[in-house]
Amino acid sequence: MGRFRLDTVSDCAKRGYNLRIECRGCNRVVLANAVLMQVELGAVRTKWPLERVQACMKCAECGKRGATISACEITF
Ligand SMILES: [Zn+2]
């Protein structure tokens, strides 16, 4: 990592990365397709900094708001 700056969801989508979302409450990890995430957020035109998305995330498991998002390579 560290070759590109991946600051927004669209950066990840464009570079072909997935998003690894880790809950700050229960450490549940979810992999999300950055392209789908972008559509879901309506981020096609708007830039969504990962920091901002992190604050909006809500865990389906423990209901805690806030997650740590990092880019991960698509391995499937
Ligand atoms: Zn959780």
Side-chain angles (χ1 to χ4, degrees):
M1 285 299 292
R3 277 174 299 164
F4 314 111
R5 279 185 65 79
L6 297 165
D7 294 329
T8 63
V9 175
S10 17
D11 285 345
C12 295
K14 265 186 249 160
R15 302 283 186 193
Y17 281 93
N18 270 349
L19 303 175
R20 183 179 178 279
I21 305 164
E22 188 177 342
C23 173
R24 285 175 195 164
C26 65
N27 294 324
R28 194 171 95 106
V29 174
V30 176
L31 294 181
N33 183 308
V35 178
L36 291 180
M37 178 72 90
Q38 195 182 14
V39 174
E40 211 166 283
L41 292 167
V44 179
R45 266 174 259 167
T46 319
K47 294 248 178 217
W48 275 81
L50 290 180
E51 281 175 20
R52 202 169 136 200
V53 181
Q54 288 186 147
C56 296
M57 283 292 159
K58 197 176 169 210
C59 179
E61 196 70 31
C62 70
K64 190 177 164 66
R65 250 178 200 279
T68 304
I69 301 183
S70 51
C72 72
E73 296 196 34
I74 297 172
T75 52
F76 49 85

